[in-house]
Amino acid sequence: MTPEQLAEISARAYRHMTPWTARAYAETLARPHALLAATDHAFVLGLVIADEAEILAVASDPDHQRCGQASAALAQFLGTAQKRGAAQVFLEVARSNIPAIAFYETKGFAHAGTRKGYYPQAEGPAVDALVMTRTLG
């Protein structure tokens, strides 16, 4: 997937927050430790450094949600991260994003901490992020 395609899916999927731009995706993909796993309608983007992987962005086209696209992209990401030496993976998710939290829990992620006021909102107070983690292997 190109940075433009990633930004297009993000714009459709991230209705609760400002989506990443194509430029932001391009800059992240240019980093030496970047890992992108994608299907036709979903992707997971993150970094693998030493024995740890961090998921930075997950998006699934709303017209193709609940069809296994995000699950397949996440499985691909986790498998490749493990092959690159990651033993653990973590991510942040907005406390208010109940569907995403439920999705990650079904994939073996557990709550490991909270980042207060992590996600600024256009209206109202910033939303806390839950830090979720999962062991690989």
Side-chain angles (χ1 to χ4, degrees), residues 30-91:
R31 295 174 69 178
H33 303 288
L35 172 57
L36 174 65
T39 65
D40 290 339
H41 303 286
F43 68 87
V44 177
L45 175 62
L47 302 172
V48 180
I49 301 173
D51 65 346
E52 191 170 78
E54 177 183 11
I55 293 176
L56 302 172
V58 177
S60 179
D61 186 318
D63 291 340
H64 297 278
Q65 288 180 343
R66 306 214 189 296
C67 298
Q69 295 280 316
S71 293
L74 180 61
Q76 180 187 354
F77 180 92
L78 297 175
T80 304
Q82 186 174 9
K83 287 178 187 171
R84 288 192 186 179
Q88 188 165 359
V89 61
F90 72 95
L91 57 87

Side-chain angles (χ1 to χ4, degrees), residues 7 13 22 25 30 44 46 50 59 66-67 72 78-79 92 100 103 107 110 117 129 131 136:
Y25 281 114
V44 177
R66 306 214 189 296
C67 298
L78 297 175
E92 290 98 5
F103 172 76
K107 303 305 178 191
V131 178
L136 299 176

Side-chain angles (χ1 to χ4, degrees), residues 115-128:
R115 299 187 197 279
K116 297 283 186 191
Y118 189 78
Y119 292 107
Q121 302 296 300
E123 296 180 20
V127 174
D128 295 346

Side-chain angles (χ1 to χ4, degrees), residues 3 12 23-25 29 72 75 95 97 119 132:
R12 293 173 44 79
R23 180 178 177 175
Y25 281 114
L29 288 167
R95 181 185 297 274
N97 193 344
Y119 292 107
M132 299 184 81

